[in-house]
PDB file of all heavy atoms in Angstrom:
ATOM      1  N   ILE A  59      74.001 134.281  75.100  1.00 95.00           N
ATOM      2  CA  ILE A  59      74.335 133.729  73.783  1.00 95.00           C
ATOM      3  C   ILE A  59      73.522 132.459  73.533  1.00 95.00           C
ATOM      4  O   ILE A  59      72.954 132.272  72.458  1.00 95.00           O
ATOM      5  CB  ILE A  59      75.850 133.449  73.673  1.00 95.00           C
ATOM      6  CG1 ILE A  59      76.619 134.773  73.622  1.00 95.00           C
ATOM      7  CG2 ILE A  59      76.169 132.584  72.453  1.00 95.00           C
ATOM      8  CD1 ILE A  59      78.123 134.630  73.828  1.00 95.00           C
ATOM      9  N   ILE A  60      73.451 131.587  74.540  1.00 94.00           N
ATOM     10  CA  ILE A  60      72.687 130.339  74.413  1.00 94.00           C
ATOM     11  C   ILE A  60      71.219 130.647  74.118  1.00 94.00           C
ATOM     12  O   ILE A  60      70.618 130.059  73.219  1.00 94.00           O
ATOM     13  CB  ILE A  60      72.814 129.473  75.690  1.00 94.00           C
ATOM     14  CG1 ILE A  60      74.258 128.984  75.866  1.00 94.00           C
ATOM     15  CG2 ILE A  60      71.836 128.299  75.671  1.00 94.00           C
ATOM     16  CD1 ILE A  60      74.797 128.112  74.773  1.00 94.00           C
ATOM     17  N   PHE A  61      70.637 131.581  74.870  1.00 95.00           N
ATOM     18  CA  PHE A  61      69.228 131.949  74.639  1.00 95.00           C
ATOM     19  C   PHE A  61      69.025 132.475  73.221  1.00 95.00           C
ATOM     20  O   PHE A  61      68.045 132.140  72.555  1.00 95.00           O
ATOM     21  CB  PHE A  61      68.745 132.986  75.657  1.00 95.00           C
ATOM     22  CG  PHE A  61      68.500 132.446  77.040  1.00 95.00           C
ATOM     23  CD1 PHE A  61      68.553 133.291  78.134  1.00 95.00           C
ATOM     24  CD2 PHE A  61      68.222 131.108  77.266  1.00 95.00           C
ATOM     25  CE1 PHE A  61      68.318 132.812  79.418  1.00 95.00           C
ATOM     26  CE2 PHE A  61      67.992 130.612  78.536  1.00 95.00           C
ATOM     27  CZ  PHE A  61      68.045 131.470  79.627  1.00 95.00           C
ATOM     28  N   ALA A  62      69.948 133.310  72.751  1.00 97.00           N
ATOM     29  CA  ALA A  62      69.832 133.871  71.399  1.00 97.00           C
ATOM     30  C   ALA A  62      69.939 132.771  70.346  1.00 97.00           C
ATOM     31  O   ALA A  62      69.196 132.779  69.350  1.00 97.00           O
ATOM     32  CB  ALA A  62      70.906 134.935  71.176  1.00 97.00           C
ATOM     33  N   LEU A  63      70.831 131.811  70.559  1.00 97.00           N
ATOM     34  CA  LEU A  63      70.967 130.682  69.624  1.00 97.00           C
ATOM     35  C   LEU A  63      69.711 129.828  69.614  1.00 97.00           C
ATOM     36  O   LEU A  63      69.228 129.410  68.560  1.00 97.00           O
ATOM     37  CB  LEU A  63      72.184 129.824  69.985  1.00 97.00           C
ATOM     38  CG  LEU A  63      73.553 130.470  69.773  1.00 97.00           C
ATOM     39  CD1 LEU A  63      74.641 129.649  70.443  1.00 97.00           C
ATOM     40  CD2 LEU A  63      73.849 130.644  68.289  1.00 97.00           C
ATOM     41  N   GLU A  64      69.171 129.560  70.806  1.00 96.00           N
ATOM     42  CA  GLU A  64      67.951 128.757  70.900  1.00 96.00           C
ATOM     43  C   GLU A  64      66.797 129.428  70.165  1.00 96.00           C
ATOM     44  O   GLU A  64      66.046 128.778  69.440  1.00 96.00           O
ATOM     45  CB  GLU A  64      67.577 128.534  72.378  1.00 96.00           C
ATOM     46  CG  GLU A  64      68.490 127.584  73.090  1.00 96.00           C
ATOM     47  CD  GLU A  64      68.138 127.406  74.562  1.00 96.00           C
ATOM     48  OE1 GLU A  64      67.535 128.320  75.178  1.00 96.00           O
ATOM     49  OE2 GLU A  64      68.466 126.343  75.101  1.00 96.00           O
ATOM     50  N   GLU A  65      66.675 130.731  70.337  1.00 97.00           N
ATOM     51  CA  GLU A  65      65.595 131.464  69.681  1.00 97.00           C
ATOM     52  C   GLU A  65      65.780 131.487  68.163  1.00 97.00           C
ATOM     53  O   GLU A  65      64.843 131.235  67.413  1.00 97.00           O
ATOM     54  CB  GLU A  65      65.540 132.893  70.229  1.00 97.00           C
ATOM     55  CG  GLU A  65      64.373 133.680  69.686  1.00 97.00           C
ATOM     56  CD  GLU A  65      64.284 135.068  70.307  1.00 97.00           C
ATOM     57  OE1 GLU A  65      64.565 135.211  71.507  1.00 97.00           O
ATOM     58  OE2 GLU A  65      63.934 136.001  69.565  1.00 97.00           O
ATOM     59  N   LYS A  66      66.985 131.766  67.715  1.00 97.00           N
ATOM     60  CA  LYS A  66      67.269 131.872  66.280  1.00 97.00           C
ATOM     61  C   LYS A  66      67.025 130.552  65.550  1.00 97.00           C
ATOM     62  O   LYS A  66      66.452 130.522  64.465  1.00 97.00           O
ATOM     63  CB  LYS A  66      68.725 132.329  66.083  1.00 97.00           C
ATOM     64  CG  LYS A  66      69.273 132.182  64.690  1.00 97.00           C
ATOM     65  CD  LYS A  66      68.803 133.268  63.771  1.00 97.00           C
ATOM     66  CE  LYS A  66      69.459 133.122  62.412  1.00 97.00           C
ATOM     67  NZ  LYS A  66      68.946 134.038  61.437  1.00 97.00           N
ATOM     68  N   PHE A  67      67.489 129.450  66.154  1.00 96.00           N
ATOM     69  CA  PHE A  67      67.441 128.158  65.463  1.00 96.00           C
ATOM     70  C   PHE A  67      66.316 127.248  65.954  1.00 96.00           C
ATOM     71  O   PHE A  67      66.205 126.112  65.501  1.00 96.00           O
ATOM     72  CB  PHE A  67      68.795 127.454  65.584  1.00 96.00           C
ATOM     73  CG  PHE A  67      69.923 128.225  64.947  1.00 96.00           C
ATOM     74  CD1 PHE A  67      70.861 128.884  65.722  1.00 96.00           C
ATOM     75  CD2 PHE A  67      70.018 128.324  63.562  1.00 96.00           C
ATOM     76  CE1 PHE A  67      71.895 129.614  65.138  1.00 96.00           C
ATOM     77  CE2 PHE A  67      71.042 129.051  62.970  1.00 96.00           C
ATOM     78  CZ  PHE A  67      71.980 129.691  63.756  1.00 96.00           C
ATOM     79  N   ASP A  68      65.489 127.730  66.893  1.00 95.00           N
ATOM     80  CA  ASP A  68      64.374 126.958  67.428  1.00 95.00           C
ATOM     81  C   ASP A  68      64.848 125.595  67.941  1.00 95.00           C
ATOM     82  O   ASP A  68      64.339 124.547  67.555  1.00 95.00           O
ATOM     83  CB  ASP A  68      63.260 126.794  66.385  1.00 95.00           C
ATOM     84  CG  ASP A  68      61.972 126.275  66.996  1.00 95.00           C
ATOM     85  OD1 ASP A  68      61.730 126.537  68.194  1.00 95.00           O
ATOM     86  OD2 ASP A  68      61.218 125.578  66.279  1.00 95.00           O
ATOM     87  N   ILE A  69      65.864 125.648  68.796  1.00 95.00           N
ATOM     88  CA  ILE A  69      66.412 124.441  69.405  1.00 95.00           C
ATOM     89  C   ILE A  69      66.478 124.640  70.905  1.00 95.00           C
ATOM     90  O   ILE A  69      66.254 125.754  71.394  1.00 95.00           O
ATOM     91  CB  ILE A  69      67.836 124.118  68.876  1.00 95.00           C
ATOM     92  CG1 ILE A  69      68.770 125.314  69.091  1.00 95.00           C
ATOM     93  CG2 ILE A  69      67.795 123.694  67.416  1.00 95.00           C
ATOM     94  CD1 ILE A  69      70.233 125.051  68.760  1.00 95.00           C
ATOM     95  N   SER A  70      66.791 123.585  71.629  1.00 93.00           N
ATOM     96  CA  SER A  70      66.988 123.665  73.067  1.00 93.00           C
ATOM     97  C   SER A  70      68.375 123.137  73.382  1.00 93.00           C
ATOM     98  O   SER A  70      68.663 121.970  73.147  1.00 93.00           O
ATOM     99  CB  SER A  70      65.920 122.838  73.785  1.00 93.00           C
ATOM    100  OG  SER A  70      66.132 122.893  75.172  1.00 93.00           O
ATOM    101  N   ILE A  71      69.220 124.020  73.885  1.00 88.00           N
ATOM    102  CA  ILE A  71      70.581 123.632  74.239  1.00 88.00           C
ATOM    103  C   ILE A  71      70.572 123.247  75.713  1.00 88.00           C
ATOM    104  O   ILE A  71      70.167 124.055  76.555  1.00 88.00           O
ATOM    105  CB  ILE A  71      71.565 124.799  73.976  1.00 88.00           C
ATOM    106  CG1 ILE A  71      71.544 125.154  72.485  1.00 88.00           C
ATOM    107  CG2 ILE A  71      72.972 124.429  74.443  1.00 88.00           C
ATOM    108  CD1 ILE A  71      72.331 126.394  72.118  1.00 88.00           C
ATOM    109  N   PRO A  72      70.980 122.020  76.037  1.00 81.00           N
ATOM    110  CA  PRO A  72      70.965 121.583  77.438  1.00 81.00           C
ATOM    111  C   PRO A  72      71.752 122.543  78.318  1.00 81.00           C
ATOM    112  O   PRO A  72      72.835 122.991  77.939  1.00 81.00           O
ATOM    113  CB  PRO A  72      71.638 120.209  77.392  1.00 81.00           C
ATOM    114  CG  PRO A  72      71.482 119.749  75.985  1.00 81.00           C
ATOM    115  CD  PRO A  72      71.491 120.995  75.144  1.00 81.00           C
ATOM    116  N   TYR A  73      71.200 122.842  79.463  1.00 63.00           N
ATOM    117  CA  TYR A  73      71.806 123.826  80.369  1.00 63.00           C
ATOM    118  C   TYR A  73      73.242 123.461  80.732  1.00 63.00           C
ATOM    119  O   TYR A  73      74.091 124.309  80.848  1.00 63.00           O
ATOM    120  CB  TYR A  73      70.963 123.958  81.637  1.00 63.00           C
ATOM    121  CG  TYR A  73      71.549 124.927  82.626  1.00 63.00           C
ATOM    122  CD1 TYR A  73      71.524 126.299  82.386  1.00 63.00           C
ATOM    123  CD2 TYR A  73      72.159 124.478  83.786  1.00 63.00           C
ATOM    124  CE1 TYR A  73      72.070 127.197  83.273  1.00 63.00           C
ATOM    125  CE2 TYR A  73      72.719 125.377  84.684  1.00 63.00           C
ATOM    126  CZ  TYR A  73      72.669 126.720  84.423  1.00 63.00           C
ATOM    127  OH  TYR A  73      73.226 127.605  85.302  1.00 63.00           O
ATOM    128  N   ASN A  74      73.502 122.157  80.898  1.00 62.00           N
ATOM    129  CA  ASN A  74      74.824 121.726  81.323  1.00 62.00           C
ATOM    130  C   ASN A  74      75.751 121.420  80.151  1.00 62.00           C
ATOM    131  O   ASN A  74      76.756 120.751  80.312  1.00 62.00           O
ATOM    132  CB  ASN A  74      74.728 120.514  82.236  1.00 62.00           C
ATOM    133  CG  ASN A  74      74.164 119.301  81.522  1.00 62.00           C
ATOM    134  OD1 ASN A  74      73.648 119.407  80.410  1.00 62.00           O
ATOM    135  ND2 ASN A  74      74.249 118.142  82.149  1.00 62.00           N
ATOM    136  N   ALA A  75      75.450 121.914  78.974  1.00 51.00           N
ATOM    137  CA  ALA A  75      76.240 121.593  77.787  1.00 51.00           C
ATOM    138  C   ALA A  75      77.671 122.078  77.891  1.00 51.00           C
ATOM    139  O   ALA A  75      78.550 121.566  77.223  1.00 51.00           O
ATOM    140  CB  ALA A  75      75.593 122.196  76.541  1.00 51.00           C
ATOM    141  N   ASN A  76      77.932 123.031  78.753  1.00 51.00           N
ATOM    142  CA  ASN A  76      79.283 123.571  78.844  1.00 51.00           C
ATOM    143  C   ASN A  76      79.947 123.255  80.184  1.00 51.00           C
ATOM    144  O   ASN A  76      80.923 123.877  80.552  1.00 51.00           O
ATOM    145  CB  ASN A  76      79.274 125.085  78.628  1.00 51.00           C
ATOM    146  CG  ASN A  76      80.596 125.583  78.107  1.00 51.00           C
ATOM    147  OD1 ASN A  76      81.248 124.908  77.320  1.00 51.00           O
ATOM    148  ND2 ASN A  76      81.003 126.756  78.544  1.00 51.00           N
ATOM    149  N   GLU A  77      79.418 122.264  80.906  1.00 52.00           N
ATOM    150  CA  GLU A  77      80.027 121.918  82.179  1.00 52.00           C
ATOM    151  C   GLU A  77      81.294 121.100  81.975  1.00 52.00           C
ATOM    152  O   GLU A  77      81.608 120.670  80.872  1.00 52.00           O
ATOM    153  CB  GLU A  77      79.028 121.122  83.033  1.00 52.00           C
ATOM    154  CG  GLU A  77      77.968 122.021  83.625  1.00 52.00           C
ATOM    155  CD  GLU A  77      77.040 121.288  84.560  1.00 52.00           C
ATOM    156  OE1 GLU A  77      77.250 120.087  84.800  1.00 52.00           O
ATOM    157  OE2 GLU A  77      76.106 121.911  85.049  1.00 52.00           O
ATOM    158  N   ALA A  78      81.975 120.852  83.042  1.00 46.00           N
ATOM    159  CA  ALA A  78      83.252 120.129  83.014  1.00 46.00           C
ATOM    160  C   ALA A  78      83.081 118.714  82.463  1.00 46.00           C
ATOM    161  O   ALA A  78      81.981 118.170  82.455  1.00 46.00           O
ATOM    162  CB  ALA A  78      83.813 120.074  84.431  1.00 46.00           C
ATOM    163  N   PRO A  79      84.177 118.081  82.000  1.00 44.00           N
ATOM    164  CA  PRO A  79      84.105 116.715  81.479  1.00 44.00           C
ATOM    165  C   PRO A  79      83.440 115.790  82.485  1.00 44.00           C
ATOM    166  O   PRO A  79      83.623 115.924  83.684  1.00 44.00           O
ATOM    167  CB  PRO A  79      85.577 116.335  81.275  1.00 44.00           C
ATOM    168  CG  PRO A  79      86.282 117.629  81.120  1.00 44.00           C
ATOM    169  CD  PRO A  79      85.518 118.626  81.948  1.00 44.00           C
ATOM    170  N   GLY A  80      82.684 114.862  81.952  1.00 42.00           N
ATOM    171  CA  GLY A  80      81.942 113.946  82.802  1.00 42.00           C
ATOM    172  C   GLY A  80      80.504 114.376  82.982  1.00 42.00           C
ATOM    173  O   GLY A  80      79.650 113.587  83.344  1.00 42.00           O
ATOM    174  N   ALA A  81      80.231 115.653  82.736  1.00 41.00           N
ATOM    175  CA  ALA A  81      78.870 116.156  82.903  1.00 41.00           C
ATOM    176  C   ALA A  81      78.035 115.893  81.660  1.00 41.00           C
ATOM    177  O   ALA A  81      76.828 115.947  81.704  1.00 41.00           O
ATOM    178  CB  ALA A  81      78.898 117.649  83.203  1.00 41.00           C
ATOM    179  N   GLY A  82      78.675 115.599  80.538  1.00 41.00           N
ATOM    180  CA  GLY A  82      77.955 115.453  79.285  1.00 41.00           C
ATOM    181  C   GLY A  82      77.488 114.053  78.997  1.00 41.00           C
ATOM    182  O   GLY A  82      77.594 113.571  77.887  1.00 41.00           O
ATOM    183  N   LYS A  83      76.977 113.383  80.008  1.00 40.00           N
ATOM    184  CA  LYS A  83      76.549 112.003  79.798  1.00 40.00           C
ATOM    185  C   LYS A  83      75.045 111.877  79.570  1.00 40.00           C
ATOM    186  O   LYS A  83      74.547 110.803  79.344  1.00 40.00           O
ATOM    187  CB  LYS A  83      76.975 111.145  80.995  1.00 40.00           C
ATOM    188  CG  LYS A  83      78.480 111.051  81.124  1.00 40.00           C
ATOM    189  CD  LYS A  83      78.876 109.856  81.925  1.00 40.00           C
ATOM    190  CE  LYS A  83      80.338 109.522  81.899  1.00 40.00           C
ATOM    191  NZ  LYS A  83      81.285 110.557  81.805  1.00 40.00           N
ATOM    192  N   GLY A  84      74.346 112.997  79.609  1.00 43.00           N
ATOM    193  CA  GLY A  84      72.894 112.957  79.438  1.00 43.00           C
ATOM    194  C   GLY A  84      72.481 113.320  78.029  1.00 43.00           C
ATOM    195  O   GLY A  84      73.013 112.809  77.055  1.00 43.00           O
ATOM    196  N   ASP A  85      71.541 114.244  77.927  1.00 45.00           N
ATOM    197  CA  ASP A  85      71.030 114.667  76.625  1.00 45.00           C
ATOM    198  C   ASP A  85      72.122 115.220  75.714  1.00 45.00           C
ATOM    199  O   ASP A  85      72.120 114.980  74.532  1.00 45.00           O
ATOM    200  CB  ASP A  85      69.961 115.764  76.807  1.00 45.00           C
ATOM    201  CG  ASP A  85      68.725 115.235  77.502  1.00 45.00           C
ATOM    202  OD1 ASP A  85      68.518 114.009  77.492  1.00 45.00           O
ATOM    203  OD2 ASP A  85      67.976 116.056  78.050  1.00 45.00           O
ATOM    204  N   ALA A  86      73.040 115.961  76.287  1.00 43.00           N
ATOM    205  CA  ALA A  86      74.092 116.574  75.471  1.00 43.00           C
ATOM    206  C   ALA A  86      74.902 115.510  74.747  1.00 43.00           C
ATOM    207  O   ALA A  86      75.248 115.670  73.584  1.00 43.00           O
ATOM    208  CB  ALA A  86      74.996 117.437  76.348  1.00 43.00           C
ATOM    209  N   ALA A  87      75.220 114.423  75.425  1.00 42.00           N
ATOM    210  CA  ALA A  87      76.023 113.370  74.799  1.00 42.00           C
ATOM    211  C   ALA A  87      75.260 112.696  73.669  1.00 42.00           C
ATOM    212  O   ALA A  87      75.849 112.289  72.674  1.00 42.00           O
ATOM    213  CB  ALA A  87      76.438 112.344  75.847  1.00 42.00           C
ATOM    214  N   SER A  88      73.949 112.619  73.796  1.00 44.00           N
ATOM    215  CA  SER A  88      73.157 111.927  72.779  1.00 44.00           C
ATOM    216  C   SER A  88      73.142 112.660  71.443  1.00 44.00           C
ATOM    217  O   SER A  88      72.905 112.061  70.415  1.00 44.00           O
ATOM    218  CB  SER A  88      71.721 111.701  73.277  1.00 44.00           C
ATOM    219  OG  SER A  88      71.054 112.936  73.389  1.00 44.00           O
ATOM    220  N   VAL A  89      73.412 113.954  71.442  1.00 47.00           N
ATOM    221  CA  VAL A  89      73.466 114.693  70.183  1.00 47.00           C
ATOM    222  C   VAL A  89      74.876 115.149  69.850  1.00 47.00           C
ATOM    223  O   VAL A  89      75.086 115.977  68.981  1.00 47.00           O
ATOM    224  CB  VAL A  89      72.490 115.909  70.163  1.00 47.00           C
ATOM    225  CG1 VAL A  89      71.062 115.439  70.195  1.00 47.00           C
ATOM    226  CG2 VAL A  89      72.790 116.873  71.292  1.00 47.00           C
ATOM    227  N   GLY A  90      75.860 114.635  70.575  1.00 48.00           N
ATOM    228  CA  GLY A  90      77.244 114.925  70.250  1.00 48.00           C
ATOM    229  C   GLY A  90      77.753 116.261  70.758  1.00 48.00           C
ATOM    230  O   GLY A  90      78.711 116.785  70.237  1.00 48.00           O
ATOM    231  N   LEU A  91      77.134 116.826  71.776  1.00 59.00           N
ATOM    232  CA  LEU A  91      77.621 118.080  72.332  1.00 59.00           C
ATOM    233  C   LEU A  91      78.801 117.799  73.237  1.00 59.00           C
ATOM    234  O   LEU A  91      78.763 116.916  74.066  1.00 59.00           O
ATOM    235  CB  LEU A  91      76.536 118.784  73.162  1.00 59.00           C
ATOM    236  CG  LEU A  91      75.345 119.338  72.423  1.00 59.00           C
ATOM    237  CD1 LEU A  91      74.433 120.047  73.404  1.00 59.00           C
ATOM    238  CD2 LEU A  91      75.755 120.276  71.326  1.00 59.00           C
ATOM    239  N   GLY A  92      79.834 118.576  73.071  1.00 63.00           N
ATOM    240  CA  GLY A  92      80.977 118.493  73.953  1.00 63.00           C
ATOM    241  C   GLY A  92      81.161 119.836  74.608  1.00 63.00           C
ATOM    242  O   GLY A  92      80.203 120.547  74.856  1.00 63.00           O
TER     243      GLY A  92
END
């Protein structure tokens, strides 16, 4: 699903975007991904 979304919208979803709380302190946090 992530790959299909990335291809459709020409974006890059951080690999750890869906990890447990505390993991979203890098790139994901900078764009508001939870």
